[in-house]
Amino acid sequence: MMKTTTSLLLRNLLFTILQPGVVAGLIPWLIVRSHRATPVSPWLHYPGIVLFAAGVIMVLACIVQFALQGAGTLSPADPTKKLVIAGLYRYSRNPMYIGVMMTLAGEAMAWGNIYLWLYAALIFLCFYLFVRYREEPRLRRDFGEEYDDYRRRVRRWF
């Protein structure tokens, strides 16, 4: 049991670094660095930081939920074994994606960088297409009627 829990923890840590860490951390940092962005006025900078922090907390809460309730990770390569419908998943079928988008929007707002806004829009488009055409059909195959019932009760985004 301890070995399984440790393995799940390490896999979640790895996929957190590889997926949201790269999408919402490394790439935005490279964008800001390459365009010599400086923070905008405090009226946008500090609310952007708050939005960023809320998004990070949301993503981390979802990752913990995946590990504890779903016995899996956020990665499509190592998905949950059980359908996760508790916590933030009671309000949206995709709160982790929403959290990443909040993180990206917070970064774009804090830095006032048009390239970050364009990147966030591109990422949202990718998320939408992935969820709609890859993830939802897989969840339907894996969880059948349980997923159909969940899909009828809970909205895709918010």
Side-chain angles (χ1 to χ4, degrees):
M1 177 70 171
M2 180 65 167
K3 186 176 181 179
T4 304
T5 304
T6 303
S7 171
L8 184 57
L9 176 66
L10 291 174
R11 291 190 330 260
N12 269 291
L13 179 61
L14 173 69
F15 289 124
T16 300
I17 292 167
L18 289 178
Q19 291 172 325
V22 170
V23 170
L26 178 61
I27 295 173
W29 177 77
L30 291 171
I31 290 170
V32 167
R33 188 170 162 235
S34 70
H35 294 287
R36 303 186 199 286
T38 57
V40 293
S41 76
W43 294 104
L44 290 177
H45 184 71
Y46 294 113
I49 291 171
V50 170
L51 185 59
F52 169 85
V56 168
I57 290 167
M58 193 171 187
V59 169
L60 293 175
C62 291
I63 291 169
V64 168
Q65 193 82 38
F66 266 33
L68 297 178
Q69 184 185 354
T73 73
L74 64 137
S75 176
D78 188 16
T80 58
K81 312 295 182 273
K82 299 174 189 165
L83 185 63
V84 178
I85 58 174
L88 294 172
Y89 289 88
R90 289 179 297 182
Y91 309 105
S92 167
R93 296 194 313 260
N94 298 290
M96 194 177 314
Y97 293 113
I98 293 170
V100 171
M101 291 310 305
M102 287 170 59
T103 301
L104 293 173
E107 290 169 326
M109 185 185 298
W111 288 100
N113 186 300
I114 187 67
Y115 296 104
L116 286 176
W117 282 114
L118 294 171
Y119 173 69
L122 175 66
I123 291 299
F124 178 73
L125 177 62
C126 292
F127 283 172
Y128 176 81
L129 293 172
F130 180 77
V131 165
R132 178 72 178 86
Y133 296 106
R134 173 81 168 105
E135 193 167 77
E136 288 179 347
R138 183 195 61 80
L139 290 168
R140 173 70 174 91
R141 278 191 312 276
D142 290 354
F143 300 109
E145 186 58 39
E146 182 184 14
Y147 178 69
D148 286 341
D149 180 53
Y150 174 61
R151 199 173 72 195
R152 282 189 289 274
R153 289 183 292 112
V154 179
R155 297 175 65 116
R156 180 181 287 142
W157 299 112
F158 45 89

